[in-house]
Amino acid sequence: MHPSVRRLTQILTPPTTGVDSLAWGSIEAAWGTAFPSDYRDFMGVYGPGGIDDVMSIAAPENRTEEPAVLTVRRTTPSVARTCRTFFGERHFPAWPAPGALLGWGVTPVGFDLFWRTTGSDPDEWPVVVAANRDDRAYEFPCGMAEFLVRMLGDPLERPMGLRGILGRPHSRFVRAQEEHALLSSGQYPWDYVDEFWEERERERDERGPVTWIAGPGRPPGDFPPVPRVTLEGFGADGDVLRVAATLDVEPSGHVLARVSIQSPDGEVVEQRAVEAAVERVNGLLVLDIRLPEAMNRSGTTWREMVDAMSREEDWNLDVWLQDPAFGAARARHGIVVGPGMRESAVDKAVAMWPE
């Protein structure tokens, strides 16, 4: 078994029955290409199906023509695409040209999951996640099983911040046929997802007023992962709002931050040029950003605002940093701009809460 699939079975329980064996020889002959070995092993252990109703994994074929089974054929683009990636604009030709996108999954939140079929060894094909409503795409130097392992791990280490992934040990896999059978009988196969979030709501309600919200907070998808700015948490400390973040690039001088907070009704805080204290702790560069009460024009205290952010949806906190060291770090990695960035933003880095 592929090592990444073996790791996946340790954090995502496979089905115990109902997984069909596949005739890979005829499948690959029909496609004119081999498939990655981790995908073949995934199909042998799990089969096609979904994870937490957020990611659906496609089958290489649908011999029985079951309507519930998503297939690679249905997810593979039939026309060429040009997308903005972290490495600049990239052209993906139509299948079966070399470098084309070959689909292995979809999400209900606007992203499709592909391999970029570059090179003769399918085990070297990188994963590409492409937005299906615009020209953004993100490429990751790993296979599909490793991508899934990372998506189920520490939220701060996930390749992407796809909302709704519960992660280990809470995530579950449901076979496509089982999902279809349950839905046909009037049962919802993803009830455990709603129960998970309802339990989190009850925990928030029972713990009393909140003065500190711990991460995770991560860069938005439109910004490159280099450098990494991680929002570790924020909260009320007396009459000061403190924001803690870590940075993996040594800044070239004083670090100034822009902090914005959006409520469900719109922006309530927008402060620029806030000086961030930088200290190295256990090898990490830790940023301490402090906003005094005089910077709060929201009509509530910092303490009241933080408590509301812990209980209500649609609050967001963004921290923007700017330093020439960020652009230099990106240049060393060959990164031109992110999918949503202008050239003027190459020296900027951002972390967001929630992830």
Side-chain angles (χ1 to χ4, degrees):
M1 185 186 298
H2 192 282
S4 294
V5 177
R6 184 178 294 109
R7 288 199 301 274
L8 190 62
T9 62
Q10 296 168 357
I11 60 177
L12 185 69
T13 303
T16 55
T17 60
V19 179
D20 299 326
S21 60
L22 297 173
W24 284 106
S26 60
I27 291 171
E28 293 178 339
W31 275 95
T33 182
F35 280 80
S37 59
D38 61 341
Y39 175 70
R40 296 199 305 268
D41 286 348
F42 181 95
M43 283 295 130
V45 174
Y46 291 90
I51 301 174
D52 296 344
D53 201 23
V54 174
M55 290 189 291
S56 296
I57 316 302
E61 63 175 2
N62 186 4
R63 288 175 296 178
T64 58
E65 300 299 325
E66 294 180 72
V69 176
L70 181 73
T71 62
V72 170
R73 185 75 62 186
R74 285 171 55 192
T75 60
T76 297
S78 59
V79 297
R81 292 186 63 178
T82 298
C83 297
R84 286 178 56 81
T85 75
F86 292 138
F87 304 95
E89 193 171 77
R90 173 163 286 168
H91 179 73
F92 300 104
W95 174 264
L101 296 176
L102 187 63
W104 58 265
V106 300
T107 78
V109 291
F111 292 96
D112 294 328
L113 310 171
F114 303 100
W115 295 287
R116 180 165 67 90
T117 58
T118 178
S120 60
D121 183 0
D123 284 348
E124 298 298 320
W125 291 349
V127 165
V128 171
V129 181
N132 55 32
R133 299 187 183 96
D134 56 33
D135 63 352
R136 292 176 296 153
Y138 313 99
E139 183 172 309
F140 305 99
C142 63
M144 61 85 67
E146 178 63 23
F147 179 85
L148 295 178
V149 168
R150 292 170 60 189
M151 286 300 299
L152 297 175
D154 184 342
L156 292 179
E157 299 301 324
R158 291 177 183 174
M160 294 193 69
L162 290 178
R163 299 281 182 91
I165 294 289
L166 306 188
R168 59 183 171 196
H170 308 287
S171 286
R172 299 182 191 176
F173 178 84
V174 178
R175 293 175 58 247
Q177 296 90 335
E178 180 185 354
E179 178 185 14
H180 180 66
L182 288 169
L183 290 172
S184 298
S185 66
Q187 300 179 68
Y188 184 59
W190 309 107
D191 278 336
Y192 72 92
V193 175
D194 295 337
E195 293 167 1
F196 175 89
W197 295 116
E198 288 168 2
E199 178 61 26
R200 292 299 180 272
E201 289 289 338
R202 285 194 292 271
E203 291 173 358
R204 283 197 291 267
D205 292 340
E206 292 170 358
R207 67 191 177 193
V210 172
T211 59
W212 183 266
I213 297 175
R218 59 181 295 130
D222 284 352
F223 267 70
V226 178
R228 178 180 289 274
V229 180
T230 302
L231 185 62
E232 302 290 351
F234 60 94
D237 184 0
D239 60 355
V240 171
L241 179 71
R242 296 184 64 181
V243 180
T246 54
L247 178 64
D248 65 358
V249 170
E250 186 79 43
S252 60
H254 291 294
V255 177
L256 297 179
R258 176 167 72 86
V259 180
S260 64
I261 300 175
Q262 299 86 35
S263 76
D265 298 322
E267 190 169 72
V268 295
V269 174
E270 170 68 22
Q271 288 296 327
R272 300 173 182 268
V274 181
E275 187 155 358
V278 182
E279 181 181 6
R280 189 171 289 278
V281 179
N282 297 326
L284 287 174
L285 287 166
V286 179
L287 281 66
D288 184 11
I289 305 167
R290 301 185 180 216
L291 280 66
E293 191 64 46
M295 293 183 177
N296 181 5
R297 299 181 178 86
S298 67
T300 63
T301 66
W302 291 131
R303 186 177 295 269
E304 292 169 337
M305 185 185 301
V306 171
D307 187 56
M309 294 172 77
S310 75
R311 301 174 188 278
E312 303 170 8
E313 295 183 355
D314 297 326
W315 283 85
N316 296 279
L317 183 145
D318 302 340
V319 177
W320 295 71
L321 307 172
Q322 184 166 356
D323 192 281
F326 302 160
R330 288 173 178 146
R332 289 194 296 271
H333 285 77
I335 295 173
V336 183
V337 292
M341 293 172 61
R342 299 183 180 88
E343 293 289 345
S344 60
V346 295
D347 291 339
K348 295 179 181 178
V350 60
M352 301 178 69
W353 175 90
E355 64 165 331

